[in-house]
Structure formats: C-alpha cells, structure tokens
C-alpha cells in the first residue's frame, strides 16, 4: 500500500484526481511537469478538463495558463485544449489539437528558448505561479521527491508555486532513482556564479527534488505510461542527410578541427535525428558523449554498442521497445545517463564551454542561412523553438537539417527569404538537405547564398533561386545581402494562393524573367 510514498505528510494528503482537480481555480497560472511526452502528470489534467467542460456547459468561464518543461501528451495538452481550458500556453508543444487551437487564433501561445523558461519565471516575467502539478517516481522517507522520466522545470515550479499537487506514478521505473542531478546553486543576477559543469558527466547537485511540504495540497497515485513515441524506420531522404553529416564530421577530423571522439553531441528528435544517430553507429565511432535534451531509442542503442560513452539530458522520449530495453538493463544505463533540469541541460554557458555539436531540424532556410524552425509560411506554428536556439547560438558547430522539399515538392525548404526567423544567418554554420551540405563558415552573405543554392536546393527550385539571386545582385537596394523586397516572400504568398510554390505547376506566370 502506497509503497512509493515513504513520508507520512504525503500519504495524509492522498486523494483522487477528481478531488485534486477541484483545487484548481479559474484564472490560475499552473506550472506542470513534462518534457517531450515524458514525466507529465497523467490524471489531474484530465479530471480538470472535465471540471472545465462542466463549467463551460453551465455558461461559466474556466481557463488557466499552463507552463511546462516542453511538449506533453494528449492526457495534458490534448484534454485541456479540447476543453478550451487554456488562456496561455508556454514554452513548447506538439499536440495536434492544441496546435490547431493556437493556429486558429483561439488561445495564446508563447514560444520560448527552453533554457530561458526557469530564469524568466524567476525574473517575474510570467507573474505569480499559483500551482505546480508535478509527476514523480516516489517520495523518500525524508520527504524529498524522486524525479520521473523528465526533469524539465520541476525544480523551479516546486520552488515558485504557492501550492503543489504531486502525482506519484507507479508505472515509472523505480530504478530511475539516482539518475538525476538537480542543481540548487542558481541565483538571480547580479549574484550569479559560474555553473560548475566542466565535463558532460559532472554531477553538481542532488538526486532528489526538494519541496516545502506545507505547500503540498494533494497527492494522487497513478499508474500510466508516458506518451510512447513509436520509433519510425529511417527513410531514404533522412539517410542521405545523415550521410552528408557523417562525411562532414570525417572531413573535420581530417582537417584537425575535431578528434575521433568528436565533441558532445546535441540531437533533436524525429526521423532525421534517428537517422543521424544510426549513422554514428555505422561510422565506427567509439566513446562519444552527448550533452543534449532528450534521450530517444537511438541514443540507447548507441550507449549499448559503445558508440556513446555517456549522455546528459533532461528527459527520456522512448518507445515501448525503448522502455523495455531500458528497464531490462537499467543498471548499465544508470551509469551512463544523467537527467538535469532543462536550465542546465540547455545552459548557454555550459554548451559553449563543452563545445557542443548542435544538430537540429528546420522548416526552411533562406539563401543567406536564416533558419525558420517554427512557423510554416511565417504564421502557422509547428512546435516551437525548443532547445534549438540554446544549442545553435552557443555550440561549437551549429547544423540545421531538412529535406530540400516538403509536401510532395509543393514547398521548397530553401527560399529567397525566410518567412519567419528563429536562427539568424549569424547562428547557422552548416545547412544540410538530401541534396548536399553547405559549409557557411567564413563566408560572406553573397558567398553563402551561392553555396546554399548549389548544394542544398532541390533541382526543381534551384534555377528559380539562382534567378532571384542574380537579379537581386543587380537590382537590390544594397548589395551586401541582396534582396528584392517586393518578391522576397512571393513564393510563400504563391503557396497560400495556389497550394504550390512552383509558378509553372500553379498556373501562374513563371518567375524567370
Ligand atoms: O509535417 O507531419 O504534417 O507531414 O513539418 O517535418 O521533415 O518530418 O522533420 O520531424 O525533424 O521536424 C522543424 C518541425 C522539423 C522540428 C521541425 C512539415 C513536414 C511535416 C515535420 P507533416 P519533418 P522533423 C530538440 C530541438 C524545432 C525544435 C527543435 C522542430 C513536419 O525539427 O520542431 O529543434 N524543430 N528542438 O511536412 C511546410 C515547410 C516544411 C513543412 C517541414 N518548409 N513548409 N511544412 N514541414 N518543412 C527537441 C526539443 O527542443 C524538445
């Protein structure tokens, strides 16, 4: 009975999710655990959504502001979005229903660098945090919390919130006990001290989260798995992108700018990231390290076969098979994986000190290397910037990867001018599509444009880009970063109007004049 809860004050506050949800009031700012579908509360948000629905049916307003670590799952973002229960959501999301509501203009969403969230909360930028709802693996006899499959911003939420609801999830492996490193040495400017992480493996904090027990108003027991992301097989396009990256890394080793141990790797999630991880294994590397946000199945495989010696992150994002693998070999993985708060996993100071190799996906890049990671056609948010900016700006190398076309070729991933910019040309060093790789280091804007057009653009769009660039070089107002402003976003406008960036297929006059 209550075998995960070893402190009386917590067992005294045990209640059902429905009762706990009744403690949430309209208008509250509620900070929840959760990062890339891991470690989010599984029961209270659903019960809360039911209350909200009942209130709405009775003609009463019931919305809250929701802050998390990153994306969660249908049981949190999905149910609250369906119940029309959120005024404001931050800082990253991937739920389809939530995305639809945001893009239909029904609610507010703030997209924030993941390393910024905790400090902005402490600076008071998001106002008072009324309530924290945090999933944990268990409660120790001393009343400390054993973190779950993600750490995210939980330390900050537990410290800042007026009240706390704890979900103790029996489904989460108890063997995770000891894998976390929670740093309590942060202070506000001007009293900040250096973050003492000098190697990927450094432990600088404690394994457990502290909580002021007098703030805990409810404890709910759950038994439910994280959102289990299936491990998609690598497709041919992603494999080509991965091959270009691996050739580049070999080239850097031959040039003496990297050793065979590379530098700590940050990798996003998704098809291309999986292909890159699989490629690293094929590449014969041994003893690499990763300083990243998310441990996905591909990382476990690399740790198992010795390609990766150690990985520091803030969250797991495993498939069912990945979880089974982790649980079967947990003692092995515990020695080789560390989960930190996201303000540490994504800390600019540490990323720059360690010299991370930042590998991220993108929606589009323009001919100068400005990268759009978030907004399709400049206005429809996909997921958010996540940690890509933390790593791209501060890494030793910043690499952005994408197929050269999207939506069956109706969209070019390389455009004259990015319709939204998350990473400026100053942050982008390497661009990769299945067509090839553009090494932008040490190049001026005009030189960058030619390399990107030659190496990364799809053949269907390359002549159009070349034509734009040639005419811009002649007719642009300034000749440093040549642009034709009346035309720079015309590809996007054409897509909105005709569903195709190609003028010929869309039946409009060809761009080539
Ligand atoms: O949409 O699924 O509807 O077909 O975007 O695209 O090619 O499968 O690539 O999964 O790597 O996602 C930038 C979104 C790329 C991701 C982005 C459409 C495409 C498809 C997915 P469909 P792919 P990926 C670590 C770091 C920001 C956060 C980040 C991302 C869908 O990498 O969210 O880097 N990055 N975090 O069809 C219209 C275009 C498009 C396009 C792609 N030009 N126009 N649609 N798509 N390009 C993780 C964390 O921070 C937590």
């Amino acid at each position: 009975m209550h075998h995960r809860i070893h402190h009386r004050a917590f067992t005294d506050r045990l209640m059902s999710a429905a009762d706990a949800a009744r403690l949430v009031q309209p208008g509250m700012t509620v900070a929840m655990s959760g990062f890339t579908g891991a470690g989010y509360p599984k029961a209270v948000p659903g019960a809360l959504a039911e209350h909200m629905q009942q209130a709405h049916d009775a003609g009463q307003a019931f919305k809250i502001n929701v802050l998390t670590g990153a994306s969660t799952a249908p049981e949190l973002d999905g149910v609250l979005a369906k119940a029309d229960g959120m005024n404001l959501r931050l800082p990253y999301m991937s739920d389809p229903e939530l995305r639809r509501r945001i893009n239909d203009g029904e609610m507010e969403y703030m997209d924030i660098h993941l390393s910024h969230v905790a400090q902005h909360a402490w600076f008071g930028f998001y106002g008072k945090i009324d309530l924290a709802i945090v999933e944990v693996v268990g409660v120790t006899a001393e009343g400390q919390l054993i973190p779950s499959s993600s750490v995210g911003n939980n330390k900050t939420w537990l410290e800042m919130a007026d009240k706390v609801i704890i979900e103790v999830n029996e489904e989460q492996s108890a063997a995770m006990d000891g894998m976390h490193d929670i740093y309590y040495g942060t202070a506000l400017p001007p009293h900040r001290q250096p973050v003492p992480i000098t190697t990927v493996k450094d432990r600088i904090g404690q394994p457990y989260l502290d909580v002021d027990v007098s703030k805990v108003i409810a404890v709910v027991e759950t038994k439910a798995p994280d959102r289990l992301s299936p491990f998609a097989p690598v497709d041919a396009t992603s494999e080509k992108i991965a091959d270009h990256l691996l050739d580049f890394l070999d080239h850097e080793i031959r040039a003496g700018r990297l050793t065979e141990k590379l530098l700590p790797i940050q990798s996003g999630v998704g098809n291309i990231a999986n292909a890159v991880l699989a490629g690293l294994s094929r590449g014969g590397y041994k003893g690499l390290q990763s300083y990243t946000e998310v441990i996905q199945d591909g990382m476990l495989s690399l740790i198992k076969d010795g390609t990766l010696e150690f990985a520091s992150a803030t969250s797991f994002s495993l498939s069912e098979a990945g979880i089974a693998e982790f649980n079967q070999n947990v003692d092995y993985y515990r020695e080789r994986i560390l989960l930190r708060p996201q303000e540490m996993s994504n800390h600019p100071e540490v990323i720059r000190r360690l010299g991370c190799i930042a590998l991220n996906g993108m929606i589009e890049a323009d001919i100068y290397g400005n990268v759009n990671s978030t907004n399709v056609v400049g206005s429809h948010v996909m997921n958010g910037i996540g940690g890509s900016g933390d790593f791209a700006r501060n890494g030793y190398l910043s690499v952005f990867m994408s197929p050269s076309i999207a939506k069956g070729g109706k969209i070019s991933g390389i455009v004259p001018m990015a319709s939204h910019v998350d990473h400026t040309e100053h942050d982008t060093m390497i661009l990769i599509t299945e067509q090839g790789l553009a090494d932008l280091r040490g190049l001026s804007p005009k030189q960058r444009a030619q390399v990107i057009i030659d190496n990364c653009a799809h053949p269907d769009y390359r002549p159009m880009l070349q034509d734009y660039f040639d005419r811009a070089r002649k007719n642009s107002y300034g000749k440093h970063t040549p642009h034709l402003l009346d035309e720079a976003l015309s590809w996007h406008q054409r897509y909105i109007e005709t569903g195709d960036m190609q003028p010929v297929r869309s039946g409009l006059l060809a761009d080539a004049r």
Side-chain angles (χ1 to χ4, degrees):
M1 193 71 172
H2 316 313
H3 63 278
R4 292 279 182 100
I5 308 175
H6 298 286
H7 191 283
R8 181 71 192 273
F10 290 81
T11 42
D12 284 352
R13 290 173 181 73
L14 274 167
M15 64 181 77
S16 69
D19 286 345
R22 276 192 204 95
L23 302 169
V24 183
Q25 301 300 318
M28 276 185 164
T29 292
V30 183
M32 305 206 204
S33 59
F35 197 106
T36 50
Y40 54 91
K42 310 286 189 294
V44 176
L48 174 60
E50 283 178 28
H51 289 313
M52 287 168 159
Q53 199 55 60
Q54 284 158 10
H56 293 162
D57 292 345
Q60 294 153 9
F62 195 154
K63 291 191 188 200
I64 58 171
N65 302 321
V66 176
L67 287 53
T68 59
S71 52
T72 65
E75 303 98 297
L76 195 167
D77 278 324
V79 289
L80 292 179
K82 277 200 189 86
D84 192 17
M86 290 186 270
N87 277 319
L88 170 72
R89 177 77 175 84
L90 66 86
Y92 184 87
M93 54 85 205
S94 65
D95 183 81
E97 176 64 17
L98 174 54
R99 187 187 290 126
R100 184 193 68 71
R101 283 189 183 260
I102 293 167
N103 286 308
D104 284 353
E106 293 171 16
M107 57 174 284
E108 305 303 324
Y109 168 59
M110 254 172 80
D111 186 16
I112 300 163
H113 294 299
L114 294 182
S115 75
H116 277 175
V117 182
Q119 67 162 0
H120 285 183
W122 282 113
F123 296 165
F125 295 173
Y126 312 140
K128 189 160 81 74
I129 296 178
D130 300 294
L131 178 68
I133 308 180
V134 173
E135 178 185 277
V136 301
V137 162
V139 181
T140 68
E142 291 72 37
Q144 288 183 302
L145 308 175
I146 304 169
S148 183
S149 48
S150 69
V151 179
N153 288 313
N154 294 348
K155 166 195 165 283
T156 297
W157 301 156
L158 291 165
E159 286 183 312
M160 285 192 68
D162 288 348
K163 303 278 180 230
V164 171
I165 295 176
I166 300 293
E167 283 197 8
V168 182
N169 186 356
E170 207 187 320
E171 183 78 17
Q172 297 284 13
S173 171
M176 280 191 285
D177 187 347
M179 289 186 71
H180 309 87
D181 184 54
I182 316 295
Y183 182 54
Y184 278 87
T186 52
L188 296 184
H191 305 293
R192 278 196 169 152
Q193 298 295 314
V195 173
I197 296 173
T198 56
T199 74
V200 169
K201 298 177 186 177
D202 282 352
R203 281 183 170 275
I204 59 170
Q206 59 188 53
Y208 303 135
L209 290 157
D210 291 334
V211 64
D212 173 355
V213 71
S214 69
K215 298 201 299 190
V216 178
I217 54 173
V219 178
V220 177
E221 287 180 308
T222 63
K223 187 167 171 34
D226 280 332
R227 183 191 79 199
L228 306 169
S229 359
F231 192 51
V234 171
D235 63 29
T237 303
S238 304
E239 205 157 77
K240 278 190 196 153
I241 292 173
D243 286 346
H244 293 311
L245 175 71
L246 293 165
D247 285 349
F248 168 74
L249 293 174
D250 282 349
H251 172 264
E252 289 301 289
I253 293 170
R254 286 196 303 276
R257 286 186 288 263
L258 287 172
T259 71
E260 290 191 346
K261 292 276 173 88
L262 302 179
L263 280 165
I265 288 167
Q266 176 256 336
S267 153
V269 285
N271 203 1
I272 296 171
N274 284 339
V276 166
L277 294 178
L280 284 174
S281 172
R282 281 200 313 276
Y285 293 104
K286 287 285 168 231
L288 305 185
Q289 296 189 331
S290 178
Y291 198 81
T292 190
E293 297 167 325
V294 178
I295 307 279
Q296 63 272 55
D297 287 23
M299 284 249 178
L300 289 191
S301 311
L302 290 188
I303 292 172
K304 199 164 189 189
D305 72 15
T307 308
L308 263 190
E309 177 209 357
F310 199 91
S312 159
T314 190
S315 172
F316 284 107
S317 184
L318 298 175
S319 70
E320 211 168 336
I323 289 178
E325 163 62 26
F326 175 78
N327 286 336
Q328 271 159 29
N329 299 293
V330 70
D331 291 333
Y332 180 80
Y333 289 117
R334 200 187 301 103
E335 300 301 309
R336 292 164 178 84
I337 294 174
L338 192 57
L339 296 186
R340 311 176 186 277
Q342 70 194 64
E343 61 183 320
M344 292 299 131
S345 65
N346 288 36
H347 202 298
E349 173 193 337
V350 179
I351 292 165
R352 185 169 286 200
R353 180 177 297 133
L354 297 177
C356 291
I357 299 176
L359 306 174
N360 289 295
M362 63 179 183
I363 285 174
E364 65 184 7
D366 69 24
I367 54 175
Y368 297 112
N370 297 292
V371 166
N372 174 5
S373 294
T374 56
N375 278 264
V376 171
V377 198
S379 58
H380 176 108
V381 69
M382 186 62 89
N383 304 313
I385 193 166
S388 55
D390 297 322
F391 284 90
R393 169 64 61 85
N394 301 294
Y396 175 83
L397 285 172
S398 70
V399 180
F400 285 98
M401 301 169 286
S402 167
S404 65
I405 47 174
K407 305 295 171 206
K410 296 199 161 88
I411 291 180
S412 175
I414 308 294
V415 289
M417 182 182 259
S419 59
H420 172 95
V421 178
D422 296 287
H423 314 286
T424 73
E425 54 160 329
H426 315 284
D427 298 331
T428 308
M429 297 181 203
I430 311 291
L431 280 185
I432 310 180
T433 69
E434 81 289 352
Q435 301 294 324
L437 179 145
D439 182 352
L440 307 177
R441 294 171 300 172
L443 300 187
S444 72
K446 290 193 288 292
Q447 294 169 328
R448 293 159 79 97
Q450 197 56 61
V451 175
I452 293 172
I453 293 169
D454 288 345
N455 295 3
C456 296
H458 191 276
D460 288 356
Y461 287 96
R462 196 176 293 142
M464 287 165 63
L465 288 166
Q466 189 65 54
D467 171 60
Y468 174 85
F469 181 49
D470 291 344
R471 285 183 295 111
R473 262 191 305 203
K474 279 195 210 112
N475 303 325
S476 175
Y477 175 76
K479 304 289 189 296
H480 173 61
T481 311
H483 263 309
L484 304 172
L485 293 183
D486 58 349
E487 209 182 295
L489 294 172
S490 62
W491 295 27
H492 299 87
Q493 186 59 28
R494 188 181 305 127
Y495 178 75
I496 292 170
E497 288 169 9
T498 69
D500 198 334
M501 281 187 176
Q502 282 279 355
V504 176
R505 273 200 308 252
S506 69
L508 297 180
L509 286 175
D511 251 3
R513 285 167 222 172

